[in-house]
Every structure is written in structure tokens, then in C-alpha cells.
Amino acid sequence: MAQSSYKHLDETWQQDRRPDRKTLKRLYNYGIPYLKQFILVFILIFATIGMTLLQPRLIQLLIDNNISILVNPATSQAENSQALTGALQMGLLYLGTVVIAFLSSYGQAYLLQKTGQKILKTIRQSLYDHILKLPMTFFDSYPQGSLMTRVTNDTETINEMFTSVLSNSLRSFISLAGIIVIMFIMNVSLASYVLLLLPFVIIISVIFRRIIRKIYFAQRRALSIINTKLSENISGMRTIQVFHRQKQVGAEFDEVNAEHLRLSQKEVTYYATYRPFIETIRALGIAGLIWFGGRQYLDGIITFGVLYAFIDYIQRFFQPILELAETYNIIQSAMTSSHRIFQLFDQETEDEGGNVSVPVEGLKGKIEFKNVWFAYIEEEWVLQDVSFTVEPGEFVAFVGATGAGKSTIMHLLCRFYDINKGQIILDGTDIKEYNLRGLREAIGVVQQEVFLYSGSIIENISLNRPRVSKADARRAAEIVNADSFINNLPERYEEQVSERGSTLSAGQRQLLSFARTIAAKPSLLILDEATASIDTETELLIQDAINKMSSNRSMVAVAHRISTIADADKIIVMHRGRIAEQGTREELLDQDGLFNVLYKLQYEGY
Amino acid sequence: MREYQTIFPFISANKRRYFLGIFALLFVDAANLLIPQIMRIFADWAQFGELTRDRIIWAAGVILLLGLMVAVGRYGWRVYIFGTARRLEYWLRDKLFKKYLSLDDQFFNHHRTGDLMAHVTNDVLMVRHSMGGGIIMIIDAVFMTLFTVIMMIYTVGLRTSLVALLALPFITIVVLAMSKPLHQRSREVQDTFSELSNEVQENISGINNIKAFGIEDRRSADFYEVNNKYQEKNMGMLRISVLFDPLIELISGISLVVFIIYGINRIREGSLTLGDFIAVLNYLRMMVWPLVAIGLVVNSFQRGIAAMGRINEILAVQPKVSEADSPTRIEQEDTQDRDSNPGLNIEFRDVWFRYEENLPWVLQGVSFELKDAQSLAILGRTGTGKSTVLNLLLRRYDVSSGQILINGTDIRDIAFKELYEKIAFVEQESFIFSRTIADNIAFSSDGNYDPERVRLAAEFSQVAGDIEAMPDQYDTWVGERGVTLSGGQKQRLAIARAYYQDSDLLVLDDSLSAVDTNTEREILDHLDEVQRGLIMVSQRVSTVQRADQILVLESGVISQRGNHKSLLQDTDGFYARLYQRQLLERKLGEESGEVTQHGSKQL
């Protein structure tokens, strides 16, 4: 079973990589605003390579024009001292190339990295902003972990594309071209000889690259499978131990690990063959150069300096070719990451709604559901033909078993999802006509799960919304009776909290959530099981808060606690996605229906 | 370096490889050192007009030969040293994973999965680097530096060599000086990266909150701050790191210029030939890498040592729950006939338990006995210690005081293998592995499972229908951690898995919570039919009511015991009240029926 598991994981992994030309184009669009920087980088690369390539040439001139005179016993004193000054000048010139090369290569690398970082920041920010605008349906189906990877790691890989790939390939091409040009200027026949080696090197590189690339990716895949297995087995360790499968699981892991080792050894061997192969060609080139060049020197066709320079150049000649081959791996993984990122960018963002804006004074709060049908997954109806009306200022409560569709109604009111059939009308206008942002601002939702952001209490109430001042936030905390516990915190409103590692009780968190909602003075209030996790102590405080909050606005609530909905003007009992009963508490208690059962559950039992 | 003791067995087993690799490396270094000498001889012949065609052929031939030697030697050390480093990576990873397999719940509760993974991935990699590239760097740094200097002195004498080498030690100084701040800044980058990840994670998990409050812009602005900080930290690191190569080039360039100017004068004096000059130029260029290596090797081994230290820490952990050195076999009558299996005799004798010394008691004097393939149920609210009872029975932890006996043998004296073969367990949160359905059900087999038994197990747990509706049926691949399955399906699969094991005792830890009432009833019917011991924990009366023995657990103390009938007598008792309440709930549930299955779609 183990090898099948390896194969399967292997396949799923492979499906993930499908880069194309379009991806590359989109990627480079991000570079366009930095054209100036890239041009400057190009110039600096040019300068750096120019300087480094000048160096062998300077040594050649030094040997031919100066040293040859100095070592010749036949030259005069005057010639000698002139050659010496010339040599010193050459030395200084060499120093000049070293210094300029230093400055330009540092400048180039710095500028390039800085630009890369800026591009990276832009991509990351726009990706993040895009994600925030995606509809809820997207978040229901896309794994959270993958989303994280897109924003964090994948963008990082793209950065490589703009920095190392771009500069390495440019550098390699320029120096290759530069070496060829200089060599031809110095001596055409020797240059042609060196050039003759190029096809061999390229052919060998291409062949080796093909093989190595395959193995490299197979090896990377094996590694990612190791990680998958590892995380799965660590999380499922208990199960493994309880079934006493350590040996088998160990053997399975060993298999994957051994596969990785096998591929690694292959990779090592191929690299170990490739480099020496190229080096052999280089040695062959140098030997040939000595042979050809030596004879030309003997025949007086070239100077010794030229021969020396050629030997130097031929050594530099191979470097860019080797480097070009290395960049290929980076391009591959950067393309995969970009492809994934752009796929995410291609996800359509949430519909921003129509152009009806919520009036400044707020909504009146008349809600009408007209024969609403809704399904999260096609054909699996969660709401079936639901119709009801909430009059302005009314408090309507929804009750029913888990999964009856209560919370769905709340989600639809906020337009987290769009309905399949029917109509939802708010103050006489279809909710689709409202501007989405305005709609959500006008509706205040208290959710069951309170999400705390890392920051202070006051920030968690105001959420840094521009329309909520600090004073608003404090007043809201007072209204919902949260100020008493906040004032008992060491830093009061400035106390730092975070989602993990917070010491606030469930009830306190819930009070914060009430404050958060009420701070923006919504004209319509939704409580989505907001009182589910509250201790009896806070219950009274919250009850009081709810009463205050609902006094001047429409309120719709889903609640498990009968006490929460005790004051409701109307109670709607949901059952299998339909409305089963509705009426006031007294009316419903008189019937022998669902509500009666629910009520008993709450007050009898325990 | 004491940290590396752990890998001594590996090193001594691979002595030959390391020896050959180092030998090949020295061979390459030697050949490389000779090349400038050939160039020198060649240039000197040219200078003094002694160059002939034969000598040209000789020089070309020797260069080619040396080149081939370098190539062969390089192949050798790459295969032997890098290849062995990869073996080491495999070896260490295997060792760590096997260690994990032997550690207990206590360990895994105190270590985050991410950290445990990092040891196996990053730390192992760092050790590999230190034992691969690190060794190359040591050899190159020591031998290349030493022999290049010797060759230079041999070629041009001590004084000229000293002048030429004057600037080069700065390379090592620069590398050493840079590596520390570089390391520190890269840590800062890593920390900010975690901050960034947290920000993304926090907001993605709170996305419905963000949407409900319409605070996308605010969250975006907050992200901008972290994003910006990350960019700044990165630039802080890059400012140094991009200086690395240019600076080394600069220093080596300067040393070249110093030599050129000094050398020219020596040439004029006639104490230096053209060949010497060229040889030194070559040697100077050859010196750069070993000097960089001296600087890098320190860093590489520092990191290797730190990584090795973290690995050793894990390898040194002794599980608190450990197997007895000479385990006692469980005494049991050998029966061929399953139907008359007397089952196991389980006894808890005044068991007290707490997770740590300074934590409150979880179980306080729990005693009970189960025999003759009967069934026992433990009922109670969350956090009352129900699951702890099972954890102790499965030796996930050892009792603080008291005793747990199986057929009269203390559980601590029983071999793990025997214990876990006798007991089949269904966890509260069923963990499903990414493999086929059949492989998951036959998890307790050695890979050669009996398809018929797999099917029977699936039928037993009422999951056969679901499986047969899947595209590949029993060969359907289950996604990572069973993501492709619903909670109820996972639970039923876990029950099938335990049933397949065919043990004497079946233990269910609230394992029917995600299963709807009808299916639960069917499964309970099946459980009644099997003739083996059964222990189950639940919060639902409907699940436990058929048990021969029911224990009510409240705050770690058994508050009521009896069977369904006898417990209902005490109308004010926990059991009877819970029963009433759940009857009502059941009524409600029956009326709302299947809809419950879709409830998971809620935000």
C-alpha cells in the first residue's frame, strides 16, 4: 500500500505545475513601473562586466608593452624607465577597473534587490486586497493553508524571478557576448577556435539540463511528499500507536525517504558528471589554445600577452554558460508560483451591489423575504420557499434545531451569499440594488464566534473604522455593560488582546462583540447565536444590553436561549429549511408544536 | 563539536567514503596547484626564447592531463562527499522519525507539529550542509591556503609572496565580520515573515467578521504595515548581503594590483621572470575561495552544531510511558471459537490521575470492573474525565496512583504490542490517513488485507453504502487527513477500522457524535451482536443506555453506577435528568430529521 500512496501523492503534486507564456507576461507587467531602475541596473551590469573583462586585456597590454621591454636585456635605460612608468600606469588603470567594478556591481545588486522588494510588496499587497474582496463562497471551498502559502511563500518565489533570474541571465549573456567581442578584436583565428567549443558546451549543457531538471523536480517532489507524510503521521501519532503500527508506518516513511535518497544520489551523480564534463572541455580548450597559440607565438603572429589573455578569457567563457543553466530551476519554480498566484487573481471578487445607497439617517428596517430558496451546494436546499416580514422597529427571533436554516437567513441578509430564487427586500428595495459596502455598514451583526484582532481593547471595539470615534467605542462599551470588566483590566481600554492567548472569558468576548457592533450605530441589528456561549453571570448583562440595543431599531436574532428571545415581538420556528410556526411566544406555547418542545428543553431538564 | 557525537556511528560506517572523498578532493587541489607551474614554465620558455614546438606540445599535453585529473577527482569528491552527506540526511531523518514513533502523548502535547517537522526538514538539512559543503570548505580552507602559500614561496620567494598576500587575509576578516550581522538580520527577516503569516492567517480565518463589518480597508492598511516592515527588514539584510561578492572581488583586485606594482619592479631588477609573474597572478586568484571558505566554515558549523543540538534534544527524550523490560503475557484461555470468547477482565482499582504534579486531579479514586465480554459505558459532561479513563486504559498516560489490571496483570507490565492487539480503539476525533478507504479500514493489517473482511467492517459501521457510492469504492483515495469525507463518515470509518482489528475489547470514545440517530441505532445494534467486551464513552443517554454497566462521571468522581433501569430510579440523579432532556431533544431531532447533515455548512 505504501508505494501506491507515494504514487498517488506524486500525481497530485505534479498536476500543480502548468506555467505558460501568459504567466510570464503578466509577471513582467509588475516590472514595468520600474523600467527606469531596470535600465539603470542594465547599465550597471554592463559597466561591471566591461570592467572585469577589461582586466585580462590590461594584463595582456602590460605583458606586451611593458614587461616584454623590462625583461629584454637589450633595451636602453630610457626605454626601461618609460616601460616602468607605463607599467605603473597600467597597474593604476587596473585598480581603477577593480574599484569601478566594485561600485557598479554593488550598486547594481542593491538597486535590483530594492526594486525586487518593491515589486514583491506590491504583488503581495494587491493579492491580499484581492483575497479580502473575494466572496464567501470562495472561502468555503478554498483551503486556508493554501491561501496562506499564496500570499507568503509563492510571492517570495516570484521575487527570485525579478532578482536572480533577471540579473544572472543578463549578466551571463552580456559577459558571453563581451568575451567573444574582445577575443575577436584581439585575434580572429584564436577567437574562432574558442568559439568552436561553444556548440559542444551548449549541446552538453542542454542534454545534462534535461536529465538533471527531471531528477531535480522528482527529488523536490519526493521531499514534499516526505513533508506531507511527516505532518500527517505526527498529527495521527496517537492512532498509529494505538493500533501499534509504528513498524509499518516507519517502513512506509522509510520508503519515501529512501526514494528521496535514491533521487538525491542520482542528482549528485549527474551534477558530479556535468561539471567535470564541462571542465574537461575547458582543459581541452586551454590545451588547444596553448598548442595553436604557442605556434602562432613562435611564428610571431601573436604576442605572448595575447596568448595569456586568451587563456584567461577562455576560463571566463565557461562561467556564464554554467550559470545560465543554473537559473533554469529558479525560473521553473517561479513560474509555478506565479501561475498559482494569477489563478487567485483571476477569481472574481464579490459583486459590489447596485447603486442605491443607504440613506444617511439609516434604514427604517423593514425586511421582507419573498419565497426565498437557497442552497450552498447545488440542489441541496437549505432554505425552501421562505417568506416573512419584519416591520420597522420589530424584534424577530428565529429558533429551530441545528441546521434548520436560521443562520443562513442571517447570512443572506448581509449578502454573504446570493439567493437562488425569490427576493429579499429591505425598505422596499431589493438588497441586490444596494451598494454592498453601505448595506453591510448599515447592518450590525453580532456573530457567534467573536474574533479578536491583535491590538488593544479599544481598537477591537472601534476596529479602526473611520466612522467610529474612540468616544463612540467607549459609549458602546458602556451601553452593552462591557465597561465594568474592561475597567478592571490592568491597562483598561488599552489592554492588548489577541485571538490566541487571550485571557478574556467567552462572555467578556461576547460583550466586546456587542460593543463592536453597536459602536457603528447600525440601523438594523442581527444577532447570530450571539448568546450561545455565555455564563449566567454575563447573561443578565447581555440581556440588558440587548434590550437597550433593540429599543430603537429592527432586530433579527437567532438564538438557542429562550431567555434571549423572551421579549421578541415575533418568533419564527424554522424546520428543515422551511418556516414551521410563527407567532408571539404565548401564541406558540399554546400550540403543541416545535416551539413547545424547544421551550421545555430550555426550562426543564437541567 | 560534541553535538556531532550522534552521527559518529554513521561516520564510522561511512569511513571509506569520506576517506575517498577527501582523497579525491586533495587530488584535485594538487592538480590545480600544478597548473600555474606549467604556465610559469611555459612563459619562461617564451621569455628566454627557449620555446620549441615539442615543448608546446608537452605543455598542452600536461595541461590537458591535469585538467582531466581535476575532472575525475572532482567527480570523485562530489559523489563521495556530497553523496554521503545525502546519505546522512536520510539516516538522520529516519532516526528522528523512528524516535517520534516511540514518543508518547505527553511529548506530542508539548511540541507543536510545525516544530517537530522543522527538525526533520531544516535541522537535518543544516547538518547535511555542514557535513557536505562544510567538509569541502575545511579541506579547501586548510590545504589550499597552506599549499598555495607554499607554492608561491617556492616560486617567487618569501618576500614577494608576503607582499602579494598582504591584502588577502581581509577577505576572511570581511566574511567573518559579515556573517554575524547577516545571520542576525536574516533572523529578523524570518521573524517578520512569521508576523506577516500570522496577519494573513488571522484575517483569513476572521474573513466573515471583516465582511460583516465592512472593514476590508482597515485590514488592508494593517497588512500594509507588516508588509512594509517585512520589506524594510529584507532590505536591512540585503544591504549587507549584496556587499559580499563585490567586496571580496575588491579585496582580491587590490591584492592583484599591489602585486603588479611590486612585481614590475622585481622584474626590472631581474629577480622575477614573466613566468613567475603569471604564476603568482594565478595563485592569487586561486587563494580567494579558500579564504572565503575559512570565513564561511565557521558559520556553517555553528549552524550545524545548533541544529545538531536541537536534534539531540529530541533524540534524548525518554517517553514517560515506557514498555516494561520483561513484559508479562496476559493470561487468557485459548479458545478457537470466537463466540465463546470470555473477553478481557478489565479492572480499575482506585485510580487517581493528574496530568502534572501541580495540576488538579482529573480522576479521583475511580474503580470499576468489566468482565465476560460485557459492555460498560461512561457518561458525563465534557471535561469530567471520561476520555482520561480511556487514555489510561490505552496507556497513553500512566496512573498517578492506583492500578489498572487486565486479566489480573498490571497494565504497566504488558507489552505494547499485546495491549494494542487486545484493545481496538475508536478515537473521539477520528484520524483518517491519506490512503485508500480499504487501507484505512485495514489499518491494523500488514498491507495484505482481506477485502471481504474490509467490506464486513464497513457494513458493521454503516459506512458501506457511502463507500459503494464513491467513484472507486474501496479503492477511493482519501484526501489528506480525510478532508474529502464528512465528520460522520470519518467516525464510521474509524469504527470500521477498529472492528477490522478483531480484538477482545472495543473502546469507543464518544465516537458516534457526528453520526445521525438512525445510523447510531444500527451501529449500536451491531455492537450488541458482537461477542466481545465493549467500553464506550458518551454524552448521550441513547448511546449508553443498553450497556450492562453504566458509570456517571462528574468532576473525576463516579457519582452514579448501575444500568439504565436502575439509574432511572433516581429521578433527581444526573442520569435521569439527562435522559429526560435528551428525550425532548430526540423528539425535536426526529422532527427536523436529516437536515442536521447539512448543518456543517454554517459559517
Side-chain angles (χ1 to χ4, degrees), chain A residues 1 5 8 71 84 88 94 102 105-106 110 117-118 121 124-125 128-129 132 134 136 139 144 148 152-153 156 219 226-227 230-232 235-239 241-246 248 252-254 257 260-261 264-265 267-268 272 276 279-280 284 287 290-291 294 297-298 304 307-308 311-312 350 376 380 401 403 411 416 437 440 447 451 453-454 463-465 500 516-517 575-576 594 597-598 601 606, chain B residues 39 42-43 46-47 51 56-57 60 64 68 71 74-75 78 83 86-87 89-90 93-94 97 101 103 105 108 117 120-121 193 197 201-205 208-213 215-220 223-224 227-228 230-231 234 239 242-243 246 256-257 261 264 267 278 285 391 396 417 420 425 427 431 433-435 439 443-446 477 481 497 501 577 581 585 588 591-592 595 598 601 603:
Chain A
M1 66 176 134
S5 90
H8 190 96
V71 296
L84 189 66
L88 290 179
Y94 195 99
F102 166 71
S105 68
Y106 178 67
Y110 182 76
Q117 287 297 323
K118 275 187 186 160
K121 191 169 91 172
R124 187 169 272 147
Q125 189 73 37
Y128 181 79
D129 291 350
L132 288 186
L134 290 172
M136 282 315 292
F139 293 97
Q144 237 189 60
M148 295 267 308
T152 54
N153 299 327
E156 203 69 38
Q219 195 242 81
I226 284 182
N227 288 340
L230 206 55
S231 100
E232 173 168 299
S235 318
M237 189 57 77
R238 209 177 127 95
T239 310
Q241 290 178 347
V242 164
F243 281 87
H244 205 66
R245 294 289 95 186
Q246 289 95 318
Q248 288 75 10
E252 270 178 45
F253 182 78
D254 185 55
N257 199 9
H260 178 253
L261 174 65
S264 297
Q265 293 295 357
E267 193 202 338
V268 168
E279 266 161 9
T280 309
L284 215 65
I290 289 178
W291 191 52
Y297 169 72
L298 274 188
F304 189 77
L307 183 56
Y308 172 82
I311 293 173
D312 197 324
E350 218 168 7
Y376 292 103
E380 287 183 23
H411 297 158
F416 280 160
R437 181 63 68 84
R440 287 190 183 156
Q447 285 160 323
F451 197 87
Y453 292 97
S454 331
L463 295 175
N464 294 326
R465 287 167 288 186
R500 277 166 291 181
R516 184 187 274 180
T517 303
H575 172 55
R576 293 193 196 192
L594 277 168
V597 180
L598 281 165
L601 256 178
Y606 73 141
Chain B
M39 303 298 288
F42 187 76
Q47 183 189 340
L51 198 63
I56 290 175
I57 292 173
L64 188 60
L68 284 173
R74 181 156 289 169
Y75 172 83
R78 273 185 172 254
R86 301 294 183 113
R87 276 172 214 274
E89 177 189 2
Y90 162 84
R93 188 178 282 140
D94 194 55
F97 186 69
L101 285 173
L103 292 170
D105 283 16
F108 289 101
M117 288 202 39
V120 186
T121 52
F193 186 77
S197 301
Q201 207 246 330
E202 187 176 285
N203 287 303
I204 292 177
S205 40
N208 59 338
N209 198 307
I210 293 175
K211 289 200 178 294
F213 286 98
I215 51 170
E216 287 93 340
D217 294 345
R218 287 312 310 165
R219 299 319 299 169
S220 167
F223 181 77
Y224 183 83
N227 197 6
N228 207 31
Y230 183 59
Q231 186 208 10
N234 258 315
R239 248 186 285 275
V242 296
L243 199 57
L256 225 60
V257 170
I261 292 169
I264 294 291
I267 288 175
I278 288 173
R285 208 168 286 145
N391 280 337
R396 306 315 303 162
K417 184 172 187 305
Y420 292 127
F425 182 52
E427 301 148 282
F431 193 92
F433 293 88
S434 51
R435 42 179 89 193
D439 281 335
F443 189 59
S444 53
S445 77
D446 287 321
W477 187 269
R481 284 175 213 180
R497 176 167 69 190
Q501 200 188 336
R577 278 186 297 140
R581 180 188 162 77
E585 269 176 2
L588 190 69
E591 281 176 43
S592 35
V595 187
H598 305 298
K601 202 63 217 175
L603 281 174

Side-chain angles (χ1 to χ4, degrees), chain B residues 530-554:
Chain B
V530 290
Q531 287 297 312
R532 46 181 109 164
L534 175 68
I535 296 184
M536 53 160 56
V537 147
S538 180
Q539 302 187 49
R540 290 207 287 219
V541 173
S542 60
T543 313
V544 306
Q545 63 186 16
R546 311 176 183 198
D548 300 317
Q549 211 183 138
I550 299 169
L551 309 177
V552 174
L553 208 55
E554 284 181 274

Side-chain angles (χ1 to χ4, degrees), chain A residues 599-606, chain B residues 571-574 576-582 584:
Chain A
Y599 189 80
K600 278 190 197 147
L601 256 178
Q602 198 65 211
Y603 282 103
E604 293 160 25
Y606 73 141
Chain B
T571 46
D572 267 349
F574 178 89
R577 278 186 297 140
L578 191 62
Y579 178 67
Q580 287 306 324
R581 180 188 162 77
Q582 290 182 350
L584 282 168

